[in-house]
Amino acid sequence: MTSFTIILHIYNSPLALVVTPLAMAPYSFLVKTLSDKGESMIIRRLPGKGWIGEKVKMKFFTKQNIRRLGKLLETKENEILPLIKS
């Protein structure tokens, strides 16, 4: 699957994240920091249009920041849907 980079501002600092759609489930994404220090998590869209993080090891990813990341992914939905289907 094709990865893309997204910038999320946390504590007034930009954080570059590499997002990879996962083939095993629609609207599931593997999220890593650009520096790739082995820290990754999975973010999934829930049926009620909410977002949940799994295997979160990055302490700054609170529920609010996961929701913000999910909303950024939703704005890129037109670009992401072709990636999920391929």
Side-chain angles (χ1 to χ4, degrees):
M1 293 248 137
T2 306
S3 298
F4 57 94
T5 304
I6 198 164
I7 305 294
L8 183 65
H9 292 271
I10 297 178
Y11 304 123
N12 295 327
S13 298
L15 177 64
L17 301 168
V18 178
V19 180
T20 306
L22 298 175
M24 64 183 150
Y27 294 106
S28 290
F29 303 93
L30 179 68
V31 180
K32 295 182 179 182
T33 58
L34 194 58
S35 62
D36 193 27
K37 295 180 180 178
E39 296 180 348
S40 64
M41 69 176 178
I42 296 173
I43 183 172
R44 287 187 308 122
R45 186 174 183 182
L46 298 174
K49 301 244 180 183
W51 290 87
I52 189 168
E54 299 174 358
K55 302 179 183 177
V56 179
K57 297 177 186 172
M58 296 172 264
K59 63 182 177 182
F60 45 81
F61 268 102
T62 61
K63 290 179 183 179
Q64 180 184 7
N65 287 334
I66 290 171
R67 279 189 232 119
R68 287 179 50 222
L69 177 58
K71 287 187 186 271
L72 284 173
L73 291 173
E74 287 175 359
T75 60
K76 290 186 153 274
E77 192 169 14
N78 292 333
E79 298 171 25
I80 293 170
L81 284 177
L83 297 175
I84 295 172
K85 292 179 181 176
S86 60

